[in-house]
Amino acid sequence: MTVTIVGSQLGDEGKGALVDLWGGDADIVVRYQGGDNAGHTVVEDGEEYKLSLVPSGAVRDKIGVLGNGCVINPRTLFSEIDDLRERGLDPDVRLAKRAHVIMPYHRRLDNIEEEAKADSDLTVGTTGRGIGPTYEDKAGRRGIRVGDLLDPDVLRQRLEYVVPQKKALIEDVYGLEAGEECDVEALVEEYTEIGRRLREDDMAVNCGDFLAERREAGDNVMFEGAQGTLIDIDHGSYPYVTSSNPTAGGAATGTGVGPTVVGQGEVVGIVKSYLSRVGEGPMPTELKGDDRDEELAEFIREKGGEFGTVTGRPRRIGWLDMPMLRHAARVSGFTGIAVNHLDVLAGLDEVKVGHAYELEGEERLTMPATTERWGECEPVLKEFDTWPEVDWAAVAEEGYDAIPDAAQDYLEYLSDELDVPIYAVGVGPGREQTVHIENPFDD
Ligand code: IMP
């Protein structure tokens, strides 16, 4: 059995809480894309762990796999693993040999390019982790893969080819000085040592084979998508996107299992009850402009803790956007959804949803394919009755019927519009503050 978890908005939907909750029934948790641009917080036995690369399941004695669709910064990985070890855990993390490695020059170039775009509309507001440049090299067939770190001769050969190109880019195109990120000898030394550690700890695997064997042995697998549908390189608001596929198709290409395997399992879209966005790009339902909207955004931001886990940046806030969710449900083929942060909207004077868009006098239920057209869309807002602040811990214990009626109407509207059941409702930040409806691992 497989369960794939997908962010249905702009990332930061609170996927971690559900991965955490249902991951208890998984034997293996596999990330299929992204790198240390994703931040998640796991609370176990009262201890808080902030992770950006190690899959959260690894904190709970599950095998955590970083699939071939991921880009891996070994410095981040080992610093997170070493931290966890110091805190008494022994995480079992495996890396796909086909996954690409984020090298120091990728990070440098990510920052240089953002800086170069700073005064234009083209700034993406990346996390600066070298994600885009690493995927560029993957597609350009000049990347370094985890498997290359295990063979010093191959590693040297690849670095001797690629590093002069990066140096020329930094110096001749951007007119800056290249530094130690372009020192081939230093890189060979550091990354050979990383390869030695990977081999010694038996961490590098052929991901597709590894998962096939474990599935044959009866293991349950959870595929954990990072980021969200609207920052998918293909289906998101290009160019304000990350460079990978957070949508469910990525679970197959990013791990080496067939799409039929992913499709036979559950694909659960994680939805936040409102919208947040870190970084640039359109957001038709954004709360901004007049004082009342700005105040509301500020209130939701503070209450929902809407500040980037990786970068600390304040997130932009908006009402739930249904055309976006219809698009997400279609692209990934959701079999169910989980709705988070319902408590954050409690006690507001108004609750609205962007039910549709208006574009050139026409009403549309889904998103235009280009970001420029999307930016021209005006939301057609639907107003809901508000719900009061209640004892959410008690609601989580009592179950769905204890959710205030107006909030149930809101949830039912969502479920009807997307034509999928709701499996869980998040009513607070902790794992236990979740209203359970159905566990996707149950037959
Ligand atoms: P990159 O992934 O660092 O290249 O950033 C590209 C875009 O994706 C930027 O707008 C980032 O803010 C956004 N982004 C990347 N990772 C996350 C995430 O985990 N949550 C939300 N936004 C993200």
Side-chain angles (χ1 to χ4, degrees):
M1 168 79 184
T2 72
V3 172
T4 303
I5 301 292
V6 177
S8 51
Q9 294 149 323
L10 290 139
D12 312 316
E13 298 89 355
K15 296 177 288 293
L18 283 314
V19 169
D20 219 15
L21 180 71
W22 296 323
D25 289 305
D27 302 286
I28 308 182
V29 179
V30 192
R31 272 192 60 185
Y32 54 85
Q33 43 71 234
D36 55 347
N37 48 349
H40 41 273
T41 307
V42 188
V43 182
E44 174 77 352
D45 289 339
E47 289 276 318
E48 190 175 272
Y49 303 94
K50 281 198 182 302
L51 303 169
S52 62
L53 196 52
V54 170
S56 46
V59 173
R60 302 197 193 289
D61 293 335
K62 310 286 169 187
I63 300 176
V65 180
L66 295 170
N68 55 276
C70 294
V71 285
I72 300 170
N73 185 331
R75 291 179 176 172
T76 312
L77 179 74
F78 285 121
S79 117
E80 287 185 2
I81 291 178
D82 291 345
D83 264 7
L84 292 173
R85 291 214 169 119
E86 262 169 41
R87 294 172 70 180
L89 300 178
D90 188 18
D92 185 350
V93 181
R94 312 296 174 101
L95 277 55
K97 288 182 187 163
R98 290 186 169 97
H100 280 248
V101 179
I102 300 181
M103 301 297 290
Y105 49 81
H106 291 129
R107 268 182 93 127
R108 174 100 201 264
L109 282 164
D110 194 358
N111 290 305
I112 290 176
E113 195 170 346
E114 279 290 283
E115 185 74 13
K117 288 174 173 173
D119 295 328
S120 74
D121 286 350
L122 296 171
T123 321
V124 177
T126 73
T127 60
R129 298 296 191 266
I131 307 295
T134 307
Y135 280 114
E136 269 179 56
D137 278 356
K138 171 179 175 173
R141 294 160 296 202
R142 67 182 92 82
I144 310 285
R145 305 204 296 178
V146 168
D148 301 337
L149 305 184
L150 307 175
D151 185 333
D153 292 338
V154 173
L155 177 64
R156 173 177 289 280
Q157 189 192 29
R158 298 225 196 285
L159 285 170
E160 281 177 352
Y161 172 73
V162 74
V163 171
Q165 291 185 19
K166 303 301 173 193
K167 194 165 188 288
L169 191 56
I170 294 170
E171 294 186 340
D172 303 341
V173 176
Y174 291 109
L176 299 165
E177 206 174 317
E180 55 186 16
E181 76 283 347
C182 289
D183 179 339
V184 174
E185 289 312 317
L187 292 174
V188 170
E189 195 180 321
E190 180 181 352
Y191 286 81
T192 300
E193 176 55 25
I194 287 168
R196 197 194 54 71
R197 185 166 171 189
L198 291 176
R199 192 178 301 104
E200 200 173 278
D201 293 353
D202 199 18
M203 289 172 72
V205 295
N206 180 332
C207 189
D209 287 357
F210 180 75
L211 293 178
E213 281 160 23
R214 299 301 305 233
R215 288 189 51 253
E216 270 163 35
D219 278 0
N220 277 339
V221 179
M222 174 173 272
F223 296 112
E224 177 183 2
Q227 289 88 41
T229 304
L230 262 292
I231 48 176
D232 182 290
I233 182 95
D234 285 284
H235 303 289
S237 57
Y238 192 91
Y240 308 109
V241 292
T242 191
S243 300
S244 64
N245 289 119
T247 46
T253 53
T255 65
V257 306
T260 44
V261 172
V262 176
Q264 276 158 19
E266 294 267 0
V267 178
V268 186
I270 312 302
V271 177
K272 184 150 68 181
S273 305
Y274 51 90
L275 214 55
S276 70
R277 175 164 208 162
V278 58
E280 304 305 316
M283 195 172 167
T285 60
E286 183 166 13
L287 281 162
K288 68 163 192 196
D290 62 45
D291 287 354
R292 189 183 155 88
D293 281 355
E294 304 272 355
E295 259 171 44
L296 201 51
E298 186 58 32
F299 179 82
I300 294 175
R301 184 179 301 118
E302 289 297 329
K303 190 168 173 197
E306 298 297 348
F307 299 88
T309 320
V310 173
T311 59
R313 290 180 285 179
R315 297 179 184 144
R316 298 154 64 195
I317 304 292
W319 295 123
L320 198 69
D321 183 324
M322 287 312 295
M324 178 187 287
L325 289 179
R326 292 185 194 100
H327 169 68
R330 188 173 294 163
V331 170
S332 288
F334 292 160
T335 56
I337 54 172
V339 184
N340 273 328
H341 282 35
L342 191 70
D343 55 305
V344 175
L345 297 185
L348 298 183
D349 292 340
E350 53 177 337
V351 172
K352 290 180 183 160
V353 164
H355 173 77
Y357 296 144
E358 194 179 298
L359 184 62
E360 290 168 352
E362 268 181 40
E363 201 168 295
R364 324 176 40 128
L365 290 173
T366 57
M367 298 179 52
T370 70
T371 302
E372 291 65 32
R373 296 284 281 166
W374 187 37
E376 290 163 19
C377 289
E378 288 297 328
V380 178
L381 294 171
K382 177 178 163 64
E383 187 146 9
F384 282 78
D385 286 344
T386 56
W387 52 92
E389 203 50 270
V390 293
D391 178 350
W392 293 104
V395 169
E397 227 163 83
E398 282 168 48
Y400 188 82
D401 290 342
I403 294 176
D405 288 349
Q408 285 192 26
D409 290 346
Y410 188 82
L411 293 170
E412 275 148 35
Y413 160 81
L414 248 173
S415 170
D416 287 348
E417 287 292 323
L418 302 180
D419 199 19
V420 288
I422 296 179
Y423 288 162
V425 182
V427 292
R431 192 166 38 145
E432 64 292 345
Q433 286 155 307
T434 305
V435 177
H436 302 245
I437 301 168
E438 193 180 326
N439 180 338
F441 274 115
D442 290 345
D443 286 334

